[in-house]
Amino acid sequence: MNNVIFISWEKHQRTRTICAKLGIALHEKISIYHGIKRYLSLGIATIKTINAEKPQVLITQNPSVVLCLLALALRPFYKYRLFID
């Protein structure tokens, strides 16, 4: 699928399988940090990916509430459709 990306802050086999079957680019963001440093590093990495890829559709993984809120907050600036899996 063109201009569709999936961002995950965890490694998850189900997400990998879905992306592989549908041809969606998967961006797994993993941090070695914990707490606020984890959220800051993953947030920055996510923003860089969205800025570089400029997706028309962004899919994020739930239950990462922080990732979902970040994707929702960025939506007006990047004009993508947001789906939360």
Side-chain angles (χ1 to χ4, degrees):
M1 298 179 101
N2 209 3
N3 283 334
V4 179
I5 65 170
F6 195 122
I7 296 179
S8 173
W9 284 3
E10 297 177 12
K11 293 180 180 180
H12 196 266
Q13 188 58 42
R14 178 180 170 274
T15 301
R16 289 177 176 177
T17 303
I18 288 170
C19 290
K21 294 287 183 181
L22 297 176
I24 297 172
L26 174 59
H27 298 269
E28 291 179 323
K29 307 298 179 190
I30 308 300
S31 177
I32 60 171
Y33 303 111
H34 298 284
I36 193 73
K37 281 180 89 174
R38 176 180 186 267
Y39 293 119
L40 285 173
S41 67
L42 292 174
I44 291 168
T46 297
I47 292 169
K48 286 181 179 180
T49 298
I50 292 170
N51 193 45
E53 296 289 328
K54 297 185 180 19
Q56 291 179 338
V57 177
L58 173 63
I59 306 169
T60 61
Q61 187 177 11
N62 195 24
S64 182
V65 176
V66 176
L67 171 58
C68 294
L69 289 173
L70 177 62
L72 189 60
L74 293 173
R75 193 172 56 151
F77 302 103
Y78 290 97
K79 309 288 189 220
Y80 50 73
R81 290 183 181 259
L82 177 62
F83 292 91
I84 299 172
D85 176 39

